[in-house]
Amino acid sequence: MSKKVYLTRRETFAAAHRLFKPELSDKENYELFGKCSNPNWHGHNYTLEVTVIGEVNPATGFVLDIKKLKQLIHENVISKVDHKNLNIDTEFMNGIIPTSENISIAIWKQLDDKITDGKLYSVKLYETENNYFEYKGE
C-alpha cells in the first residue's frame, strides 16, 4: 500500500488587473463585472498555495525538494505576475479575462508539466482574506 503525502508551498504576489470584455462599452462592462471593470485597473495582494501529492522517496525523504518547488513557482509564475498588470504584462494571461478562477487555471498550466517528482494536486489562489479559488486540473 502506497503512502501519499501532500506538500504545499505558499507564495505571495501583488498584481493589477481589469475584468472587461473589449467588445463591450464601459457601462456594459460595469454591469457585468462591477467595480472590477474600472478602466484605470485595480489590484490585489494575492496568496498562492501550490500543493503536490506523491510518495516519499526513500533515498531523500522528500516527495519533492521544497526548494525545487519554490524555484519552479518563482520562475514560472511569481516572476511573471508580481507587481505586473495581468491584462498587459503577463503573457500566459493574454486573451483571458483575469478573474481569479482563470488565473488559477493559468497558473496550473504554467506548473503542471514542470513538476516531475510527485504530481500537481491543486492551485489555490486567495484574492482577499475572505475569497479563495482552487483548481485541481479537472
Side-chain angles (χ1 to χ4, degrees), residues 101 104-105 108 121-124 133-138:
E101 293 90 337
S104 300
I105 294 167
W108 174 284
Y121 177 77
S122 71
V123 167
K124 188 181 284 188
F133 304 81
E134 186 170 14
Y135 182 66
K136 294 183 177 181
E138 300 163 358

Side-chain angles (χ1 to χ4, degrees), residues 1-65:
M1 181 175 184
S2 68
K3 295 181 181 172
K4 301 283 185 178
V5 174
Y6 296 83
L7 164 70
T8 300
R9 174 70 188 186
R10 179 180 291 154
E11 297 289 341
T12 60
F13 65 93
H17 67 152
R18 178 183 181 209
L19 305 184
F20 77 106
K21 297 179 82 169
E23 65 272 15
L24 300 179
S25 69
D26 284 346
K27 181 179 184 286
E28 291 169 315
N29 274 302
Y30 185 81
E31 289 170 0
L32 183 59
F33 297 111
K35 65 183 182 179
C36 295
S37 71
N38 181 348
N40 293 317
W41 318 99
H42 74 282
H44 299 280
N45 292 315
Y46 293 96
T47 298
L48 171 66
E49 293 180 355
V50 175
T51 301
V52 174
I53 185 174
E55 294 184 27
V56 175
N57 180 329
T60 64
F62 299 143
V63 170
L64 167 63
D65 183 340

